[in-house]
Amino acid sequence: ERNEQDEISNIYNYPRGRVATQTIILRTVNCNGQPRQIHIFLYNCLTLQNICFIIELVILLKNGETIDIRDQVAVIGGDETKRSGIVLAKSYKAKQFGIVTGETLYSARQKCRNLQVYQGNYKVYKEYSNKLYKLLLEYTDKIERYSIDECFLDMTNYLMGDTLINKAKEINLRVKEELGFTVNVGVAHNKLLAKMASDFTKPDRVHTLYEEEIPNKMWNLPISELFMIGKRTVPKLYNMGIKTIGQLSKTDEELLKKKFGKFGKMMWE
């Protein structure tokens, strides 16, 4: 469970109970179509995520490929002949088979024998990531690069009399027109909610997830959809009768702390 706890510590830069302000997230898609992901969380910060899959699609289409890999059970990964090769990004159909980012290609193949594996191109992904980063610098210099395809933008003093929603829509449009892919944008008051919002309907959408919207938009979601709830934690929560995010929110904090320690406290908060 160490990775889950480390990642949660990373995403929560602000003390519990403190609202960060405004967050946007963007998810990507190419000009032709539906998404795979870049996320930009704009909470005073912005994030981008999973650019690898969509950029690989762009490259394949430019090279004459006629099959849209988003319609396949497909992943972007390393060398499949090596058991150490891992899944870097996945299609929605691959996700339906339970394939997750970071697992070995060998493991993913056990879940779907017809899995299509496309070699990743880190150099190209980095190039696109840098282009996006350069574009985002036009909006704020307070950018936290979370990974090659994720970053947070602090927009606290950079709205220039405009609204966060307008900025989100502007970035969404510019990325599509200038960089050639589309993004989903999640807007919220902290990083976690913005990241969750980015997983809502796609592609090419702007979503909000403010505190007052949480009951309607989050409570009925499966507990596995809550950011940073990993595959090892889900069965344990199921055994406690917790299957939705709403059920987790109503669970006694002390019970979660007793079962999961500090991680239980993070989940509850």
Side-chain angles (χ1 to χ4, degrees):
E1 314 276 311
R2 182 187 63 80
N3 287 341
E4 292 177 16
Q5 296 184 32
D6 289 349
E7 290 295 311
I8 283 186
S9 297
N10 243 340
I11 204 71
Y12 283 109
N13 273 346
Y14 289 80
R16 295 307 165 277
R18 176 178 167 187
V19 173
T21 34
Q22 315 176 86
T23 307
I24 289 180
I25 221 185
L26 307 181
R27 241 178 215 259
T28 65
V29 189
N30 77 357
C31 284
N32 298 340
Q34 298 79 40
R36 263 302 23 174
Q37 285 89 258
I38 286 181
H39 287 184
I40 301 175
F41 316 107
L42 230 168
Y43 83 130
N44 283 27
C45 118
L46 198 131
T47 230
L48 86 186
Q49 206 173 64
N50 245 346
I51 188 174
C52 308
F53 196 87
I54 190 60
I55 297 308
E56 192 63 37
L57 173 58
V58 171
I59 295 170
L60 289 169
L61 292 174
K62 285 182 176 179
N63 290 335
E65 179 62 71
T66 58
I67 297 175
D68 189 333
I69 62 175
R70 290 167 302 183
D71 295 330
Q72 298 179 321
V73 182
V75 299
I76 307 301
D79 186 349
E80 195 171 7
T81 63
K82 300 176 181 178
R83 291 203 174 191
S84 59
I86 65 170
V87 174
L88 299 175
K90 61 191 178 299
S91 68
Y92 180 72
K93 289 191 174 182
K95 182 179 179 180
Q96 292 178 317
F97 277 83
I99 294 170
V100 297
T101 301
E103 75 173 306
T104 64
L105 293 172
Y106 176 81
S107 171
R109 178 72 68 186
Q110 305 312 301
K111 297 175 181 178
C112 179
R113 294 294 181 181
N114 296 322
L115 180 69
Q116 300 298 310
V117 179
Y118 295 87
Q119 290 270 326
N121 189 329
Y122 183 84
K123 183 178 179 180
V124 174
Y125 304 152
K126 186 175 181 180
E127 177 186 341
Y128 275 87
S129 178
N130 287 338
K131 286 180 179 179
L132 179 59
Y133 181 76
K134 185 177 180 180
L135 184 151
L136 297 176
L137 280 172
E138 296 180 28
Y139 293 89
T140 175
D141 60 358
K142 294 184 178 180
I143 302 177
E144 175 192 339
R145 292 189 99 161
Y146 190 55
S147 68
I148 187 175
D149 58 4
E150 290 183 282
C151 64
F152 293 91
L153 278 67
D154 187 339
M155 297 294 292
T156 307
N157 299 312
Y158 295 86
L159 293 178
M160 308 291 286
D162 204 346
T163 66
L164 194 59
I165 290 291
N166 285 344
K167 289 295 185 185
K169 290 180 178 179
E170 180 181 321
I171 292 172
N172 176 287
L173 181 62
R174 286 191 61 194
V175 170
K176 180 164 49 180
E177 293 183 344
E178 298 176 28
L179 301 183
F181 48 84
T182 64
V183 291
N184 260 32
V185 183
V187 182
H189 283 148
N190 61 50
K191 295 179 181 180
L192 175 62
L193 295 184
K195 198 167 179 67
M196 291 292 297
S198 74
D199 282 320
F200 293 159
T201 313
K202 46 190 181 266
D204 203 16
R205 303 288 185 89
V206 174
H207 293 290
T208 61
L209 185 53
Y210 296 121
E211 281 78 0
E212 63 271 18
E213 297 177 307
I214 290 175
N216 287 333
K217 293 186 176 182
M218 285 187 67
W219 278 181
N220 291 328
L221 294 177
I223 191 63
S224 57
E225 294 297 309
L226 183 60
F227 180 61
M228 296 322 312
I229 299 295
K231 60 182 180 181
R232 294 180 181 178
T233 303
V234 171
K236 297 175 184 178
L237 291 170
Y238 276 16
N239 289 338
M240 297 171 67
I242 303 171
K243 296 185 177 181
T244 67
I245 295 175
Q247 288 174 333
L248 177 65
S249 73
K250 297 173 183 176
T251 302
D252 182 70
E253 178 184 3
E254 292 304 315
L255 179 61
L256 291 171
K257 286 166 62 177
K258 183 177 180 180
K259 179 72 175 178
F260 299 101
K262 291 181 179 179
F263 186 49
K265 180 177 175 63
M266 287 183 180
M267 281 192 290
W268 186 85
E269 290 178 338

